[in-house]
């Protein structure tokens, strides 16, 4: 019987005394996580840029609406104020 066959039957692979270094597992896990982050980094940056663009547009719309409300308020106040003074006398 060959040595390889004897190891197969006994369930041993010949590396019983070799201890794996615990840093290797942490390094492999860190590399996998870094690869996942780098793989998804470009879509994340595009999403943030899209959000930034939407917020810039929303700021412009908010300013226009606020300006229209301010103009409307001043026109309404200009119409109502003389009436209030007439009724108040």
């Amino acid at each position: 019987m060959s040595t390889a066959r004897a190891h197969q039957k006994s369930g041993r692979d010949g590396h019983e005394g070799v201890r794996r270094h615990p840093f290797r597992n942490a390094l492999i896990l860190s590399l996998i996580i870094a690869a996942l982050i780098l793989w998804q980094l470009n879509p994340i940056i595009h999403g943030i840029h899209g959000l930034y663009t939407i917020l810039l547009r929303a700021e412009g719309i908010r300013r226009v609406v606020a300006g229209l409300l301010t103009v409307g308020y001043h026109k309404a106040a200009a119409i109502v104020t003389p009436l209030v003074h007439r009724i108040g006398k």
Side-chain angles (χ1 to χ4, degrees), residues 1-14:
M1 183 184 292
S2 71
T3 307
R5 185 141 174 99
H7 283 294
Q8 249 182 356
K9 282 191 172 186
S10 66
R12 295 185 242 167
D13 59 355

Side-chain angles (χ1 to χ4, degrees), residues 1-71:
M1 183 184 292
S2 71
T3 307
R5 185 141 174 99
H7 283 294
Q8 249 182 356
K9 282 191 172 186
S10 66
R12 295 185 242 167
D13 59 355
H15 296 289
E16 296 165 21
V18 177
R19 285 187 47 206
R20 296 196 179 228
H21 200 284
F23 180 71
R24 183 186 306 168
N25 292 339
L27 178 65
I28 291 172
L29 185 62
S30 297
L31 288 174
I32 290 171
I33 291 172
L36 286 173
I37 290 171
L38 288 176
W39 176 48
Q40 292 297 319
L41 191 60
N42 200 24
I44 290 170
I45 290 173
H46 282 292
I48 291 172
H49 180 70
L51 183 63
Y52 172 75
T53 304
I54 290 169
L55 289 175
L56 281 180
R57 288 182 186 165
E59 176 67 19
I61 292 170
R62 185 199 63 82
R63 286 184 182 187
V64 169
V65 170
L68 290 174
L69 288 175
T70 302
V71 168

